[in-house]
Every structure is written in structure tokens, then in C-alpha cells.
Amino acid sequence: MSYKSILTIVTDPAAAGSQLETAIAVARRQDAHLDVLCLGVDRTQTGYYYAGATAFVQQEVLDRAQQDAREVEAAVKARLGAEDIRWGSDTLVVQIGAIATVVGLRARFADLVVMGRPYGKGRGQELEAVVEAALFEGQVPVLIVPDGYSGAAVAARVVVAWNQSNEAMSAVRKSLPALKAAQQVDITVIDPPTHGPERSDPGGQLSQMLARHGVHAEVSVLVKTMPRVSDVLNRHVRDTNADMIVMGAYGHSRFREAILGGATRNMLELAEVPVLMAH
């Protein structure tokens, strides 16, 4: 199993350096095809325009989004033009409320989506919408990379956040190429339930499953000594010098659209290493 179709979505070349470099590096290692979706985003919502100025305002906003898309495409082609990987780019203009549909349709045919951190200075709300769409609409694993990360080196030590949930299981299955490439996988269980199905051997069955795939796995059982699970995980990553986190992506419904839950958002805000998520 490997990732053969990799997708990254760029809305701002200045903020997308790390994700593009990582996508290129992963595509080269996996001998995969890289698709880059260059988006120009109309950030207004339907019904926002005031009466009497609708046509003029809509055209002005559309022109700006089209110009943004052309600039993104030019920057992407300038970066990828000399690369020896297989790649292609597509350019679209989309209203922010339609991102879920557009990105979801593209992402569902990818093996992996690579994105930068959606939160922080200079990040627009469209980046969160893109990540949500890939995870929940596209049902594809998403690798979120921090600023300054290039993906040049394989993640040698990976922490798997394991809580027995369907989301965590999905993340493990969809991250198998990365887990098999790692030198060590740390199955991390925080405060395992005393009456759960794995109460006698937390993480044991997962460790056995991964071992049959040739993954070198060990289990760490931690106590939640900090207010948030994300804090405990990030501290464990630092203590073990881990290179990546694999975890399930959790969300809840907002008018029938899934949005990131608090624990997932906290991890994406605080993680210092790449996070591979799946729903």
C-alpha cells in the first residue's frame, strides 16, 4: 500500500510554502502524482450584498477572486516547473460557502491531502473550510504540516493517538504507508477506560495488527495530568522526539456540514510536528 495520488490546495502562495514543499517530497518518495488545486476564493456569503449594488459588487469580487487564482497558478507552476515528479494543476474560483462541495469532490479521488496549518497569523477562514472538506466530505487522510517543514526526511518516530474510536482506527489504516516507513511507532493511550474492551491490554491488539504489517510498534499508557489531551500528546511528542502524530479527526454537525471538534482544533493549533488525520 502506498499513496499514489496526492492533492494539495493552495489559496495563498505566501502561506503555502511548507505544504507545497512537503507535497513534492512525499510525491517523490511514493512515486506518486501530485495534483495542485489553485483556488481563488470569493469570501462573501450569499445574501451579503445590499440592494441596488448587487451586480457591481459581485463582479468586483469575482474579478478579484479570478486574479487571485491566476496568481496562485503562476506561483505553483513557477515552483513545480523544474521538478522531476509527475504533477498537474487546476484553477478554480469558488465562493467560500461552496468550498465543501468543490474540495470534497476533488479530495475523494486522492490517497492523501497535504495542507499547511489552517490557524495562525495570515490564515484565512477558507483554509479551515478546505481541511474540513477534505476530512469529512472527501473522507481522505490529511497531513497537516507546520510552518518551516519541508517533508524532506521520512518520519522516523511516529506517535499514534489511540482511544479505541472508529476515527482513530480509520487514521491508523489510512496512515499505514507512513507507519511502515517509520523506525518506531508509539501507540499512545491516555487514561484508558477501566471498563473498556481493551482494559486488560490497552493498545495491545493494535500493536499486534501493526506488527503483522511489519511495523515496529510499542505502547505507552499515559495519565492525563494536563487539562487537555492535546497538551499531553504534544508533551509526549517532545519527550520522545517524535516526528509525526497520527490521530482521528473529530467533528460535529453544523447545518449538516461537519466541522472540526475542539480537541482536533487544539491539536492543529499547537502541534509542532506534522499531524496525519483521518475521519
Side-chain angles (χ1 to χ4, degrees):
M1 178 183 176
S2 58
Y3 302 124
K4 289 302 181 183
S5 295
I6 297 172
L7 172 67
T8 189
I9 299 102
V10 180
T11 61
D12 179 4
S18 294
Q19 76 181 62
L20 194 54
E21 294 303 318
T22 302
I24 292 169
V26 174
R28 181 174 289 110
R29 278 200 301 272
Q30 298 283 328
D31 189 26
H33 188 283
L34 173 61
D35 290 304
V36 184
L37 181 58
C38 306
L39 282 188
V41 182
D42 172 0
R43 294 171 177 81
T44 57
Q45 296 286 357
T46 302
Y48 170 81
Y49 308 106
Y50 55 88
T54 302
F56 174 79
V57 174
Q58 283 183 329
Q59 188 59 51
E60 183 181 21
V61 171
L62 179 60
D63 290 344
R64 187 182 305 121
Q66 290 174 336
Q67 179 62 31
D68 289 344
R70 287 191 292 267
E71 291 176 359
V72 171
E73 181 184 37
V76 166
K77 288 185 174 181
R79 174 62 189 86
L80 288 171
E83 290 294 333
D84 58 354
I85 63 171
R86 298 184 301 278
W87 65 277
S89 64
D90 200 2
T91 305
L92 289 176
V93 172
V94 61
Q95 194 171 47
I96 194 166
I99 283 179
T101 300
V102 171
V103 172
L105 285 173
R106 296 300 181 101
R108 69 186 303 186
F109 297 106
D111 297 319
L112 177 71
V113 172
V114 178
M115 293 298 301
R117 186 179 289 176
Y119 308 111
K121 185 177 180 180
R123 264 62 168 183
Q125 59 179 325
E126 67 274 4
L127 292 180
E128 183 179 26
V130 166
V131 171
E132 290 171 358
L135 285 168
F136 300 120
E137 301 292 332
Q139 292 289 301
V140 64
V142 178
L143 179 63
I144 307 293
V145 299
D147 293 344
Y149 185 79
S150 68
V154 174
R157 188 175 182 90
V158 179
V159 167
V160 173
W162 179 244
N163 62 358
Q164 307 174 35
S165 67
N166 291 335
E167 290 85 355
M169 190 75 251
S170 177
V172 170
R173 293 187 187 280
K174 293 176 180 178
S175 66
L176 273 175
L179 299 181
K180 292 172 71 173
Q183 295 176 12
Q184 185 69 48
V185 172
D186 187 336
I187 301 168
T188 302
V189 186
I190 301 173
D191 279 353
T194 55
H195 301 291
E198 297 184 3
R199 60 187 178 277
S200 62
D201 185 19
Q205 288 181 298
L206 178 60
S207 178
Q208 181 184 69
M209 186 195 89
L210 292 177
R212 290 172 179 170
H213 282 278
V215 176
H216 301 285
E218 61 184 22
V219 178
S220 297
V221 179
L222 307 179
V223 177
K224 187 184 176 186
T225 57
M226 304 175 77
R228 298 180 298 192
V229 169
S230 57
D231 294 328
V232 179
L233 278 175
N234 281 315
R235 183 179 63 184
H236 187 59
V237 166
R238 290 191 295 270
D239 290 345
T240 59
N241 292 317
D243 305 302
M244 181 186 293
I245 300 170
V246 170
M247 63 179 290
Y250 306 92
H252 55 275
S253 178
R254 175 184 61 188
F255 301 111
R256 295 184 300 173
E257 289 185 13
I259 62 174
L260 297 177
T264 305
R265 180 180 179 121
N266 289 338
M267 181 56 69
L268 294 186
E269 289 178 329
L270 300 174
E272 300 168 2
V273 298
V275 181
L276 201 162
M277 290 185 162
H279 180 66

